[in-house]
Every structure is written in C-alpha cells, then in structure tokens.
Amino acid sequence: MDMTGRIEGRLQIVTVNEPRIDAAVAIQFKDEMRTHTMDGPSRVILDVSQVEFIDSSGLGAIVAAMKQLGPGRKLDLAGLTPAVDNVFRLTRMDSVFTLYPSLDAALMSAAG
Amino acid sequence: MIEDCRKSAAFRSDSGQFAARELLSHAVTTLGHWNLAASKREIIEIVLAEALNNVVEHAYREEDGHPIRLALTMQNDILKCIITDEGNPIPGGKAPCGTEPVLNVPPAELPEGGFGWFLIHNMAESVHYERLGVGNALTIRFSVV
C-alpha cells in the first residue's frame, strides 16, 4: 500500500496515496502506519485527501493505528472526501478523531 | 401501455482479497450507466462493500476461490441488490441488527470492527437474509429517487 511519511515542525504527517482504505488493504494500512509512526512527534496527521472510499475494515484499521500510537500521542485526520466523511459521521467516529477539512487546516491549527 | 423500465445486471467473482473490490467496481460502473447520482452510488457502494466483506470473512472464512454473485435490478426507483454465496450461514439464521458502536470508552477499548451491519441497516431501505439450500442470499433495497 502506497503511503508516505514526513515530519513538519512538531507534526508527523502520513499521506495515503491510494483511493481506497478497505478490507483488501486494512492489514497493510496498519503495518504502514506502524512503520511511519514508530517514533517521532507525538501528534500524527493522517492525510486522506486522496482516499475516495473507506469501509468499516478501513475505519477499524484507523482506530487500530490510533491505539498503536499509545497513550500521550494523538492521531488526527485531514482532507476527508465526502464518502469518507459520511462513514465517520454515521459511526460517530467524528467524536473520537479530530477531523480537518484539509492538511493546510491541520497545519494551521498546530501553528496557532 | 406501461413502459417497462426495468434494468438489470449480474456479476460474479471468486472469494479472495480483491473480490469485493472487483464486484463493487462493476456495480458502481453500472449504476453510473443507470444515471444514479454520485451521492447515491457512494451510499450503495459502502453498503455492498460491508455485505461482500461479510461473505469473504464470515461465510467463506477467508478461504479463496468460492463463488460470490451480485445481481442488481432497478425498477420504479427501487434498486434491488441480491448477494448470493455458497458459504456458511449467518449464525442465528438472520441478519444481525447492527447496534451503534459504543465509543464512550477509554481509547484502548475503542471498537475496531462491528460497524458493518450498523452501516448496512442505516444506509439501506431494507435488508433481508435467507438461507437457500447450501447457500446464502442477502437482498438489499435502496430507494434511488
């Protein structure tokens, strides 16, 4: 699964370069997240602006990725497309994660 | 004379890592040809994804190479989707009702699954499960007005 990580200031940014986070790639997603967030900043932003589709397995994988960060670290999401946003709201996961409309908005919140 | 505006399509794939993706891709393309709005197609794609993932994970217990069929019929603004497989029955003989995920728990205890049936029931008009001989049939209806 194509994902890239970079550090910007005090933020770890992980970008999903794929159109889907679904059952077919849920395990790979968790593994990639573990690799990219093994150490580094305590706040992680997951950039999902290229993701057009997520199912409950993908959602579960994001929850698992948040848990594997451990206490004291935080996972936020940025750039949710309408279909992804819909699944987060229906399952009320929007109450668990901080969601930003774009990566810029997430970066701005960290700078402010 | 009443115009017959019934449309139908059917697809088949074998269970495996990419079976759901393959069937969903066919379904979404077909629904586009039938002029369904993108917002409707998104909802239908998520519901069908959850149902197809259940077939791969539960009915076939992640075993590859077993048939999964998806039939779509649209008539009078109702889209009927029938998913059939030859796998294990749903325990209890009926489709789980799908309760809302419990999220007011410590982060370490947040659920990583169990959202599937909740999404299906919330986004579809109706859901009906039947055990037919050696297989399962799940019929899901959507209003597409």
Side-chain angles (χ1 to χ4, degrees), chain A residues 20 22-25 28 53-57 59-60 63-64 66-67 82-83 86-87 90-93 95-96, chain B residues 17-18 21 24 42-43 45-46 49-50 53 57 100-101 103 107-112 115-116 118-119 122-123:
Chain A
R20 303 174 80 88
D22 60 11
V25 294
Q28 290 172 53
F53 179 84
I54 189 166
D55 62 14
S56 66
S57 303
L59 185 65
V63 173
M66 182 261 270
K67 288 185 190 174
N86 201 8
V87 170
L90 269 169
T91 55
R92 311 242 183 275
M93 279 294 170
S95 66
V96 171
Chain B
Q17 189 183 2
F18 295 104
R21 274 195 190 183
L24 290 171
E42 280 173 14
I43 286 171
E45 184 175 12
I46 292 166
E50 298 303 335
N53 289 343
E57 289 165 29
E100 192 169 334
L103 303 179
E109 290 165 31
L110 282 168
E112 294 174 29
F115 319 111
F118 173 75
L119 287 172
N122 260 269
M123 299 171 109

Side-chain angles (χ1 to χ4, degrees), chain B residues 126-145:
Chain B
S126 73
V127 183
H128 178 72
Y129 168 73
E130 243 183 319
R131 180 72 183 174
L132 298 170
V134 293
N136 301 302
L138 188 71
T139 304
I140 307 173
R141 286 183 174 80
F142 299 91
S143 163
V144 292
V145 189

